[in-house]
């Protein structure tokens, strides 16, 4: 059995990079979950002709369209991060998350 020196492993662990990625992932999740309760009200505002029993269906449709768009777009963002670099793409995506959350709040 080979012994591990965890002190050396911990010094080599990229704590700063993992922390930044964790904060970015958490901010995206928090922004998405804070917008979620407002979707039925926004659906009613944008489509006032819908009946009250149809609003939940269309709000769920918008939610699922968001996740499908995220799935399809992740390949493009991954390719762009290989070409441009990870840092500019992460900064751009964090800025877009911030702006979109603020814009939803102003609606």
């Amino acid at each position: 059995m080979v012994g591990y020196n965890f002190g050396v492993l911990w010094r080599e662990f990229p704590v700063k990079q993992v922390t930044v990625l964790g904060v970015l992932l958490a901010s995206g999740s928090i922004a998405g979950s804070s917008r979620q309760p407002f979707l039925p009200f926004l659906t009613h505002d944008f489509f006032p002709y819908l009946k009250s029993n149809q609003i939940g269906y269309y709000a769920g449709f918008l939610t699922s369209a968001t996740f499908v768009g995220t799935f399809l777009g992740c390949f493009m963002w991954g390719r762009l991060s290989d070409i441009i670099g990870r840092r500019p793409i992460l900064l751009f995506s964090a800025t877009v998350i911030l702006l979109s959350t603020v814009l939803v709040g102003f609606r």
Side-chain angles (χ1 to χ4, degrees):
M1 184 168 124
V2 178
Y4 291 105
N5 188 352
F6 290 109
V8 173
L9 289 176
W10 182 251
R11 276 185 264 135
E12 294 175 1
F13 186 75
V15 175
K16 181 180 171 185
Q17 290 87 351
V18 170
T19 304
V20 168
L21 286 176
V23 167
L24 287 174
L25 286 172
S27 68
S29 297
I30 290 169
S33 64
S34 66
R35 285 189 304 248
Q36 200 66 27
F38 298 108
L39 271 179
F41 301 106
L42 288 173
T43 304
H44 178 67
D45 287 346
F46 290 140
F47 306 106
Y49 56 85
L50 290 176
K51 296 178 185 174
S52 63
N53 61 352
Q54 293 176 318
I55 291 175
Y57 173 78
Y58 285 101
F61 184 76
L62 288 173
T63 302
S64 63
T66 300
F67 287 111
V68 168
T70 301
F71 174 73
L72 295 175
C74 71
F75 300 108
M76 176 196 66
W77 288 114
R79 184 71 177 147
L80 270 175
S81 70
D82 289 340
I83 295 169
I84 298 172
R86 287 186 200 107
R87 181 174 287 165
I89 297 299
L90 286 172
L91 289 173
F92 178 76
S93 63
T95 305
V96 168
I97 288 171
L98 174 75
L99 290 176
S100 66
T101 303
V102 169
L103 289 176
V104 166
F106 281 127
R107 170 61 181 114

